[in-house]
Amino acid sequence: MKNSKHLLLVINTPGDPFTIDSGASLRSNLFIKALSEIAQVDVICFSKNNIVSDILNCNVIFSQLIWENKDYWEVIRTLLCMTIWPSNPYSYFQVNKQKASIINSYLNKKKYDFIACRYVQTAIICGLLDYKDKLIIDADDNLAAIKKLQVIEASSILYKWKKQYESMRIPKMLRKLFSNIRCSFCSNPLELPSPQTIVLHNTTVLDKPAPSLSEDFTPRILFVGTLRYFPNKHGIKHFVESIFPQIKKSIPLAELQIVGDGEPDFLDYLNNKEGVRAVGRIDDLASEYQKAAVVVIPIYYGSGTSVKFVEGLLMNRPVVSTPVGARWYSETCRDRIDYMLAHNDEEFISKTINLLSSPTKSRDMAKRGYVIGEKMFSQRKFCEIVKNAIIKL
């Protein structure tokens, strides 16, 4: 069926939005699918060449990699502009004139009812703020929260100071920007940049839950996440060094399976630990959940919401998480009933051992978590939120 509404979607990331290889690419893919169900979608990709859409009612009309030019003077410029015009979006990102020109050429050829993009910086860099009355932005994680995380990761004093300064100035800019555009989404209601922003949860790439745990399950602990991302790398390193050894003392047969792309040296470091197996990135993630007894989320830094948490729920496995790993989900899921919340290492150890020692408790907790996940955080619910929001426009 041909849709009467037409929407232009701008993608400004190097990857292919039609190939799902991460939580971010999954969110982009679901966002496109939801939009294509209520409008004819044309996509401009400033990413890899020869990208082809496999989604009905969605066509890629431009695909080419065009980079932004950044240098030392750009850092100085943004610092000065942030100080003088903190509410101005262009104080934080510069318009790429080539990208803006390409987009404008298509907008001049065809009338679009809406213009959508992923991320605030995409809207600014690609000159989309000129079309505020038609603009839809999926911010995903709050940009200010991302900057706070970048402070922790910063390798130089200048970069650390710049990111700290940005995190303090950006919230005012975001409130003004989101109050002037047509529609916006954000993944965490605790970090909404504006009262008008709609909560759009993260979800999982997996669409079929694992079978219920058997009575004689193997005490295998599972962690999933790219190890090239600082919060994941820091968290699993701490878990391997300080938490898992204590679990293994109590349950000698306990195993720790770590899934996620990482630097070879770090994977080797993990694999040298007793009972630990870091397999890197794999194609069949569903089978790892089927073999797991408990999913752990030892995350101590982050923004937005954790895909790992909702994925554990939707894969029918009990979850043990730090407060950061369970951010926002702790508002809807109950500690010790739907999942286990670990405020410190001692709680992480004791609660994981508790689940590994009790098949019935683990199975019942997983079932309750799955019901919540399916009702509130599924792919179906994600698309429903997007479609309902756009239809109301």
Side-chain angles (χ1 to χ4, degrees), residues 98-161:
Q98 186 179 359
K99 292 180 179 180
S101 176
I102 291 168
I103 293 168
N104 287 333
S105 68
Y106 284 97
L107 289 171
N108 290 332
K109 295 176 186 176
K110 185 175 180 179
K111 177 177 171 55
Y112 289 97
D113 298 282
F114 302 108
I115 303 169
C117 69
R118 291 260 286 123
Y119 308 119
V120 175
Q121 50 270 48
T122 297
I124 302 171
I125 291 168
C126 295
L128 302 182
L129 298 188
D130 290 341
Y131 308 93
K132 292 179 181 178
D133 60 329
K134 296 183 177 182
L135 186 57
I136 300 165
I137 301 177
D138 174 27
D140 199 342
D141 296 352
N142 185 304
L143 187 57
I146 294 173
K147 296 299 181 182
K148 289 180 181 179
L149 180 59
Q150 290 174 342
V151 172
I152 301 170
E153 299 180 74
S155 57
S156 70
I157 295 176
L158 176 61
Y159 188 76
K160 183 184 288 287
W161 186 82

Coordinates of all heavy atoms in Angstrom, one line a residue, residues 98-161:
Q98 N 28.5 21.2 2.6 CA 28.3 20.2 1.5 C 27.1 19.3 1.8 O 26.3 19.1 0.9 CB 29.6 19.4 1.4 CG 29.5 18.4 0.2 CD 30.7 17.6 0.0 OE1 31.7 17.7 0.8 NE2 30.7 16.8 -1.0
K99 N 27.0 18.9 3.1 CA 25.8 18.0 3.4 C 24.5 18.8 3.4 O 23.5 18.3 2.8 CB 26.1 17.4 4.8 CG 27.2 16.4 4.9 CD 27.4 15.9 6.3 CE 28.5 14.9 6.4 NZ 28.7 14.3 7.7
A100 N 24.6 20.0 3.9 CA 23.3 20.8 3.9 C 22.9 21.1 2.4 O 21.7 21.1 2.1 CB 23.6 22.1 4.6
S101 N 23.9 21.3 1.5 CA 23.5 21.6 0.1 C 22.9 20.4 -0.5 O 21.9 20.6 -1.3 CB 24.8 22.0 -0.6 OG 24.6 22.2 -2.0
I102 N 23.4 19.2 -0.2 CA 22.9 18.0 -0.8 C 21.4 17.8 -0.4 O 20.5 17.5 -1.1 CB 23.7 16.8 -0.4 CG1 25.1 16.9 -1.1 CG2 23.0 15.5 -0.8 CD1 26.1 15.9 -0.6
I103 N 21.2 18.0 0.9 CA 19.8 17.8 1.5 C 18.9 18.9 0.9 O 17.8 18.5 0.5 CB 19.9 18.0 3.0 CG1 20.6 16.8 3.6 CG2 18.4 18.1 3.6 CD1 21.0 17.0 5.1
N104 N 19.3 20.1 0.8 CA 18.5 21.2 0.2 C 18.1 20.9 -1.2 O 17.0 21.2 -1.7 CB 19.2 22.5 0.4 CG 19.2 23.0 1.8 OD1 18.3 22.7 2.6 ND2 20.2 23.8 2.1
S105 N 19.0 20.3 -2.0 CA 18.7 20.0 -3.4 C 17.6 19.0 -3.5 O 16.8 19.1 -4.4 CB 20.0 19.4 -4.1 OG 20.3 18.1 -3.6
Y106 N 17.5 18.1 -2.6 CA 16.4 17.1 -2.6 C 15.1 17.7 -2.1 O 14.0 17.4 -2.5 CB 16.7 15.8 -1.8 CG 17.7 14.9 -2.5 CD1 19.0 15.0 -2.3 CD2 17.2 14.0 -3.5 CE1 19.9 14.1 -3.0 CE2 18.1 13.2 -4.2 CZ 19.4 13.3 -3.9 OH 20.3 12.4 -4.6
L107 N 15.2 18.6 -1.1 CA 14.0 19.3 -0.6 C 13.4 20.2 -1.6 O 12.2 20.5 -1.6 CB 14.4 20.0 0.7 CG 14.7 19.2 1.9 CD1 15.3 20.0 3.1 CD2 13.5 18.4 2.4
N108 N 14.2 20.7 -2.5 CA 13.7 21.6 -3.5 C 13.0 20.8 -4.7 O 12.2 21.4 -5.4 CB 14.9 22.4 -4.1 CG 15.4 23.5 -3.2 OD1 14.7 24.0 -2.3 ND2 16.7 23.8 -3.3
K109 N 13.4 19.5 -4.8 CA 12.8 18.7 -5.8 C 11.4 18.1 -5.4 O 10.6 17.9 -6.2 CB 13.7 17.6 -6.2 CG 15.0 18.0 -6.8 CD 15.9 16.7 -7.0 CE 17.3 17.1 -7.4 NZ 18.2 15.9 -7.5
K110 N 11.2 17.9 -4.1 CA 10.1 17.2 -3.6 C 9.6 17.8 -2.3 O 10.3 18.2 -1.5 CB 10.4 15.7 -3.5 CG 9.3 14.8 -3.1 CD 9.8 13.3 -3.1 CE 8.8 12.3 -2.7 NZ 9.3 10.9 -2.7
K111 N 8.2 17.8 -2.2 CA 7.6 18.3 -1.0 C 7.5 17.2 0.1 O 6.9 16.1 -0.2 CB 6.2 18.9 -1.2 CG 5.5 19.3 0.0 CD 4.2 19.9 -0.3 CE 3.3 20.2 0.9 NZ 4.0 21.1 1.9
Y112 N 8.2 17.4 1.2 CA 8.1 16.4 2.3 C 7.3 16.9 3.5 O 7.4 18.1 3.8 CB 9.5 16.1 2.8 CG 10.3 15.3 1.8 CD1 11.3 15.9 1.0 CD2 10.2 13.9 1.8 CE1 12.0 15.1 0.1 CE2 10.9 13.1 0.9 CZ 11.8 13.8 0.0 OH 12.6 13.0 -0.9
D113 N 6.4 16.0 4.0 CA 5.6 16.4 5.2 C 6.5 16.5 6.4 O 6.2 17.4 7.3 CB 4.5 15.4 5.4 CG 3.6 15.3 4.2 OD1 2.7 16.2 4.0 OD2 3.7 14.3 3.4
F114 N 7.5 15.7 6.6 CA 8.3 15.7 7.7 C 9.8 15.4 7.3 O 10.0 14.8 6.3 CB 7.9 14.7 8.8 CG 6.5 14.8 9.3 CD1 5.5 13.9 8.9 CD2 6.1 15.9 10.1 CE1 4.2 14.1 9.3 CE2 4.8 16.0 10.5 CZ 3.9 15.1 10.1
I115 N 10.7 15.9 8.2 CA 12.1 15.6 8.0 C 12.6 15.0 9.4 O 12.3 15.6 10.4 CB 12.9 16.8 7.7 CG1 12.4 17.5 6.5 CG2 14.4 16.5 7.5 CD1 13.0 18.9 6.2
A116 N 13.2 13.8 9.3 CA 13.6 13.1 10.5 C 15.1 12.8 10.5 O 15.7 12.7 9.4 CB 12.8 11.8 10.7
C117 N 15.7 12.7 11.7 CA 17.1 12.3 11.8 C 17.3 11.6 13.2 O 16.5 11.8 14.1 CB 18.0 13.5 11.6 SG 18.0 14.7 12.9
R118 N 18.4 10.9 13.3 CA 18.9 10.4 14.6 C 20.0 11.3 15.1 O 20.9 11.6 14.3 CB 19.4 9.0 14.4 CG 18.4 8.0 14.0 CD 17.9 7.1 15.2 NE 18.9 6.2 15.6 CZ 19.5 6.1 16.8 NH1 19.2 6.9 17.7 NH2 20.4 5.2 17.0
Y119 N 19.9 11.7 16.3 CA 20.8 12.5 17.1 C 20.7 14.0 16.8 O 20.5 14.5 15.7 CB 22.3 12.1 16.8 CG 22.5 10.6 17.0 CD1 22.9 9.8 15.9 CD2 22.3 10.0 18.2 CE1 23.1 8.4 16.0 CE2 22.5 8.6 18.4 CZ 22.9 7.8 17.3 OH 23.1 6.5 17.4
V120 N 20.9 14.8 17.9 CA 20.8 16.2 17.8 C 21.9 16.8 16.9 O 21.7 17.7 16.1 CB 21.0 16.8 19.2 CG1 21.1 18.3 19.2 CG2 19.9 16.4 20.1
Q121 N 23.1 16.2 17.0 CA 24.3 16.7 16.2 C 24.0 16.5 14.7 O 24.5 17.4 13.9 CB 25.6 16.1 16.7 CG 25.6 14.6 16.7 CD 25.2 14.0 18.1 OE1 24.2 14.4 18.7 NE2 26.0 13.1 18.6
T122 N 23.3 15.5 14.3 CA 23.0 15.3 12.9 C 22.1 16.5 12.4 O 22.3 17.0 11.3 CB 22.2 14.0 12.7 OG1 23.1 12.9 13.1 CG2 21.8 13.8 11.3
A123 N 21.1 16.9 13.2 CA 20.2 18.0 12.8 C 21.0 19.3 12.6 O 20.7 20.0 11.7 CB 19.1 18.1 13.9
I124 N 22.0 19.5 13.5 CA 22.7 20.8 13.4 C 23.7 20.7 12.3 O 23.8 21.6 11.4 CB 23.5 21.0 14.8 CG1 22.5 21.1 15.9 CG2 24.3 22.3 14.7 CD1 23.2 21.1 17.3
I125 N 24.5 19.7 12.2 CA 25.6 19.6 11.2 C 25.0 19.6 9.8 O 25.6 20.1 8.9 CB 26.4 18.3 11.4 CG1 27.2 18.4 12.7 CG2 27.3 18.0 10.3 CD1 27.9 17.1 13.2
C126 N 23.8 18.9 9.6 CA 23.2 18.8 8.3 C 22.3 20.0 7.9 O 21.6 19.9 6.9 CB 22.5 17.5 8.2 SG 23.6 16.1 8.3
G127 N 22.2 21.0 8.8 CA 21.4 22.2 8.5 C 19.9 22.0 8.6 O 19.2 22.7 8.0
L128 N 19.5 21.0 9.3 CA 18.1 20.6 9.4 C 17.3 21.6 10.3 O 16.0 21.6 10.3 CB 17.9 19.2 9.9 CG 18.6 18.1 9.0 CD1 18.2 16.7 9.6 CD2 18.1 18.2 7.6
L129 N 18.0 22.4 11.1 CA 17.2 23.3 12.0 C 16.5 24.4 11.2 O 15.7 25.1 11.8 CB 18.2 23.9 13.0 CG 18.9 22.9 14.0 CD1 19.6 23.7 15.1 CD2 17.9 22.0 14.6
D130 N 16.9 24.5 9.9 CA 16.1 25.5 9.1 C 14.7 25.0 8.8 O 13.9 25.8 8.3 CB 16.9 25.7 7.7 CG 18.2 26.4 7.9 OD1 18.4 27.1 8.9 OD2 19.0 26.3 7.0
Y131 N 14.4 23.8 9.2 CA 13.1 23.2 8.9 C 12.4 22.7 10.2 O 11.9 21.6 10.3 CB 13.2 22.0 7.9 CG 14.0 22.4 6.7 CD1 15.3 22.2 6.6 CD2 13.3 22.9 5.6 CE1 16.1 22.5 5.4 CE2 14.0 23.3 4.4 CZ 15.4 23.1 4.4 OH 16.1 23.4 3.2
K132 N 12.5 23.6 11.2 CA 12.0 23.2 12.6 C 10.6 22.7 12.6 O 10.2 21.8 13.4 CB 12.2 24.3 13.5 CG 13.7 24.7 13.8 CD 13.8 25.9 14.8 CE 15.3 26.2 15.0 NZ 15.4 27.4 15.9
D133 N 9.7 23.3 11.8 CA 8.3 23.0 11.9 C 8.0 21.6 11.3 O 6.9 21.1 11.5 CB 7.5 24.1 11.1 CG 7.9 24.2 9.6 OD1 9.1 23.9 9.3 OD2 7.0 24.5 8.8
K134 N 9.0 21.0 10.6 CA 8.8 19.7 10.1 C 9.8 18.7 10.7 O 9.7 17.5 10.4 CB 9.1 19.7 8.6 CG 8.1 20.5 7.7 CD 8.5 20.3 6.2 CE 7.5 21.1 5.4 NZ 7.8 20.9 3.9
L135 N 10.6 19.1 11.6 CA 11.7 18.3 12.1 C 11.4 17.3 13.2 O 10.8 17.7 14.2 CB 12.9 19.2 12.5 CG 14.2 18.5 12.9 CD1 14.7 17.7 11.7 CD2 15.2 19.6 13.3
I136 N 11.8 16.1 13.1 CA 11.6 15.0 14.1 C 13.0 14.5 14.4 O 13.7 14.1 13.5 CB 10.7 13.9 13.6 CG1 9.4 14.4 13.2 CG2 10.7 12.7 14.6 CD1 8.6 13.4 12.3
I137 N 13.4 14.6 15.7 CA 14.7 14.1 16.1 C 14.6 13.0 17.1 O 13.9 13.1 18.1 CB 15.6 15.2 16.7 CG1 15.7 16.4 15.8 CG2 16.9 14.7 17.2 CD1 16.5 17.6 16.4
D138 N 15.3 11.9 16.8 CA 15.5 10.8 17.8 C 16.8 11.1 18.5 O 17.8 10.7 17.9 CB 15.4 9.4 17.2 CG 15.7 8.4 18.3 OD1 15.5 8.6 19.5 OD2 16.2 7.3 17.9
A139 N 16.8 11.7 19.7 CA 18.1 12.1 20.3 C 18.8 10.8 20.9 O 20.0 10.9 21.1 CB 17.8 13.1 21.4
D140 N 18.0 9.7 21.1 CA 18.5 8.5 21.8 C 19.0 8.9 23.2 O 18.2 9.2 24.0 CB 19.6 7.9 20.9 CG 19.9 6.5 21.3 OD1 19.5 6.0 22.3 OD2 20.5 5.8 20.5
D141 N 20.3 8.9 23.4 CA 20.8 9.3 24.7 C 20.9 10.9 24.8 O 21.1 11.5 23.8 CB 22.2 8.8 25.0 CG 22.2 7.3 25.1 OD1 21.1 6.7 25.1 OD2 23.3 6.7 25.1
N142 N 20.6 11.4 26.0 CA 20.7 12.8 26.2 C 22.2 13.3 25.9 O 23.1 12.7 26.4 CB 20.3 13.2 27.6 CG 20.3 14.7 27.8 OD1 21.3 15.4 27.6 ND2 19.1 15.2 28.3
L143 N 22.3 14.3 25.0 CA 23.7 14.8 24.6 C 24.5 15.3 25.8 O 25.7 15.0 25.9 CB 23.5 15.9 23.6 CG 24.8 16.4 22.9 CD1 25.5 15.2 22.3 CD2 24.5 17.4 21.9
A144 N 23.9 15.9 26.8 CA 24.6 16.4 28.0 C 25.1 15.2 28.8 O 26.3 15.2 29.3 CB 23.7 17.2 28.9
A145 N 24.4 14.1 28.9 CA 24.8 12.9 29.6 C 26.0 12.3 28.9 O 26.9 11.7 29.5 CB 23.7 11.9 29.8
I146 N 25.9 12.3 27.5 CA 27.0 11.7 26.8 C 28.3 12.5 27.0 O 29.4 11.9 27.2 CB 26.7 11.8 25.3 CG1 25.5 10.8 25.0 CG2 27.9 11.4 24.4 CD1 25.0 10.9 23.6
K147 N 28.2 13.8 27.1 CA 29.4 14.7 27.3 C 30.0 14.4 28.7 O 31.2 14.4 28.9 CB 29.0 16.2 27.2 CG 28.6 16.6 25.8 CD 29.7 16.4 24.8 CE 29.2 16.8 23.4 NZ 30.2 16.6 22.4
K148 N 29.1 14.1 29.7 CA 29.6 13.8 31.1 C 30.4 12.5 31.0 O 31.5 12.3 31.7 CB 28.5 13.6 32.0 CG 27.8 15.0 32.4 CD 26.7 14.8 33.3 CE 26.0 16.1 33.7 NZ 24.8 15.9 34.6
L149 N 30.0 11.5 30.2 CA 30.7 10.3 30.1 C 32.0 10.5 29.4 O 33.0 9.9 29.7 CB 29.8 9.3 29.3 CG 30.4 7.9 29.0 CD1 30.8 7.2 30.3 CD2 29.5 7.0 28.2
Q150 N 32.0 11.4 28.4 CA 33.3 11.7 27.7 C 34.3 12.3 28.5 O 35.5 12.2 28.3 CB 33.0 12.5 26.4 CG 32.2 11.8 25.4 CD 31.8 12.7 24.2 OE1 31.7 13.9 24.3 NE2 31.4 12.1 23.1
V151 N 33.9 13.0 29.6 CA 34.8 13.6 30.6 C 35.7 12.5 31.2 O 36.9 12.6 31.4 CB 34.1 14.4 31.7 CG1 35.0 14.8 32.8 CG2 33.4 15.6 31.0
I152 N 35.0 11.4 31.6 CA 35.7 10.2 32.2 C 36.7 9.6 31.3 O 37.8 9.2 31.6 CB 34.6 9.2 32.7 CG1 33.7 9.9 33.7 CG2 35.3 8.0 33.3 CD1 32.5 9.0 34.0
E153 N 36.3 9.5 30.0 CA 37.1 8.9 29.0 C 38.3 9.7 28.5 O 39.2 9.2 27.8 CB 36.3 8.5 27.8 CG 35.2 7.5 28.1 CD 34.4 7.1 26.9 OE1 34.9 6.4 26.0 OE2 33.2 7.6 26.7
A154 N 38.2 11.0 28.7 CA 39.2 12.0 28.1 C 40.6 11.6 28.4 O 40.9 11.3 29.6 CB 38.8 13.4 28.6
S155 N 41.5 11.7 27.4 CA 42.9 11.4 27.6 C 43.7 12.6 27.8 O 44.9 12.5 28.3 CB 43.4 10.6 26.4 OG 43.2 11.4 25.2
S156 N 43.2 13.8 27.5 CA 44.0 15.0 27.6 C 43.3 16.0 28.5 O 42.0 16.0 28.6 CB 44.3 15.7 26.3 OG 43.1 16.2 25.7
I157 N 44.0 16.9 29.2 CA 43.4 17.9 30.1 C 42.5 18.8 29.3 O 41.4 19.2 29.8 CB 44.4 18.6 30.9 CG1 45.2 17.7 31.8 CG2 43.8 19.8 31.7 CD1 46.4 18.3 32.5
L158 N 42.9 19.3 28.2 CA 42.1 20.2 27.4 C 40.8 19.6 26.9 O 39.7 20.2 27.0 CB 42.9 20.7 26.1 CG 42.1 21.6 25.1 CD1 41.7 22.9 25.8 CD2 43.0 21.9 23.9
Y159 N 40.9 18.3 26.5 CA 39.7 17.6 26.0 C 38.7 17.4 27.2 O 37.5 17.6 27.1 CB 40.1 16.3 25.4 CG 38.9 15.6 24.7 CD1 38.4 16.0 23.5 CD2 38.4 14.4 25.3 CE1 37.4 15.3 22.8 CE2 37.3 13.8 24.7 CZ 36.9 14.2 23.5 OH 35.8 13.5 22.9
K160 N 39.3 17.0 28.3 CA 38.5 16.8 29.5 C 37.8 18.0 30.0 O 36.5 18.1 30.3 CB 39.3 16.2 30.7 CG 38.6 15.9 31.9 CD 39.5 15.5 33.0 CE 40.1 14.1 32.8 NZ 39.1 13.0 33.0
W161 N 38.5 19.1 29.9 CA 37.9 20.4 30.4 C 36.8 20.9 29.4 O 35.7 21.3 29.8 CB 39.0 21.5 30.5 CG 38.5 22.8 31.0 CD1 38.3 23.1 32.4 CD2 38.1 23.9 30.3 NE1 37.9 24.4 32.5 CE2 37.7 24.9 31.2 CE3 38.0 24.2 28.9 CZ2 37.2 26.2 30.9 CZ3 37.6 25.5 28.6 CH2 37.2 26.4 29.5

